[in-house]
Amino acid sequence: MSRIGTPTGPPQVPAWVMHANEAVERVYLVLRVNLFGMLLSLLGLVVLGAAPAAVAAADVFIAARHGAKVKVVPTMWASFRSHLVTANIRMLPLIIVQLGSASMLWIIIGGGAPNSLLTMVLAGLAVVSAAWSTLSVAVLTVVPRVRRQDVLVAWRLAILLPGALPMRFIALVLALAAWIVLCSFLWPLALLVGAATAIDGARTLLGLRTEILLEDLDRSRSVTV
């Protein structure tokens, strides 16, 4: 004779089911952030929309880093409006350096420059400049503490911080390079989750660790004073 009301299911949900569900939710979050970020970039005619849209995406990932539920559209829209001017002022000069370095590399690789020692030196400088400016833009995007500083202080921190955490920044450069190569072959992947995945990766590698470093520097400065 069977007992009435006795549970027949498993005593608890398997761990792999929980992890799979978290992974699906994360991919869904990245997808929404990427698509709405593209809309915000187009709203700013790309040139003036890309920087605040990237900051808005980073703010969503920062808010969701402890598993909290985040309303993507309201959060990104509020962040986009708040950082429309400040993000462009802080990032556009670095983005111009980044694009200039990438253009020089493109010309050299395409054979548009003579094959000489000077050209190789310029190519090396262009690689370093492109990588460093990319890292500086990443700092300004994913570290709110740097964004809140005055323009000159924010630029100085964004330029110097890659040297303070070299291993993390090297890992970010390599990860971004691999991701760009992968997205160049799988363009639907780039369209759906490309930029948001890069921003989330930068936030994972740099965000919290950089905040802790800056807090330690503030504490040491206060003790010295």
Side-chain angles (χ1 to χ4, degrees):
M1 185 174 181
S2 62
R3 296 180 181 178
I4 299 176
T6 302
T8 59
Q12 60 182 4
V13 179
W16 69 268
V17 175
M18 298 295 295
H19 294 321
N21 183 61
E22 291 174 359
V24 170
E25 289 184 353
R26 192 66 182 182
V27 171
Y28 182 52
L29 174 65
V30 172
L31 177 64
R32 287 181 293 160
V33 169
N34 194 77
L35 293 180
F36 193 61
M38 291 172 60
L39 292 177
L40 292 177
S41 297
L42 293 175
L43 183 63
L45 302 178
V46 180
V47 175
L48 298 178
V55 171
D59 284 342
V60 171
F61 292 130
I62 292 171
R65 64 185 173 188
H66 298 301
K69 299 293 183 181
V70 181
K71 294 182 179 179
V72 172
V73 173
T75 302
M76 291 188 68
W77 176 240
S79 178
F80 180 83
R81 290 185 300 168
S82 175
H83 296 97
L84 180 60
V85 176
T86 57
N88 280 308
I89 291 175
R90 285 161 174 76
M91 293 187 193
L92 274 181
L94 294 170
I95 292 175
I96 291 172
V97 173
Q98 184 181 19
L99 293 176
S101 301
S103 299
M104 182 180 295
L105 280 175
W106 183 263
I107 292 172
I108 294 172
I109 293 173
N115 188 10
S116 63
L117 179 60
L118 178 60
T119 301
M120 300 305 296
V121 172
L122 291 176
L125 291 176
V127 170
V128 173
S129 178
W132 207 282
S133 58
T134 299
L135 294 174
S136 298
V137 170
V139 170
L140 290 170
T141 301
V142 303
V143 185
R145 191 183 185 93
V146 176
R147 287 193 239 133
R148 291 192 295 266
Q149 306 300 319
D150 293 335
V151 175
L152 295 179
V153 176
W155 282 343
R156 184 173 61 185
L157 288 173
I159 292 172
L160 294 178
L161 279 172
L165 298 169
M167 298 309 298
R168 287 181 177 266
F169 283 94
I170 290 173
L172 179 58
V173 168
L174 295 177
L176 288 177
W179 183 243
I180 290 172
V181 171
L182 180 62
C183 288
S184 65
F185 287 102
L186 301 174
W187 64 264
L189 183 68
L191 186 64
L192 292 175
V193 297
T197 301
I199 293 170
D200 192 25
R203 193 272 314 168
T204 302
L205 283 171
L206 304 182
L208 182 59
R209 184 65 186 88
T210 306
E211 292 277 0
I212 293 173
L213 174 63
L214 293 175
E215 290 175 2
D216 291 341
L217 290 174
D218 284 345
R219 280 195 295 268
S220 63
R221 185 184 306 170
S222 63
V223 171
T224 303
V225 174

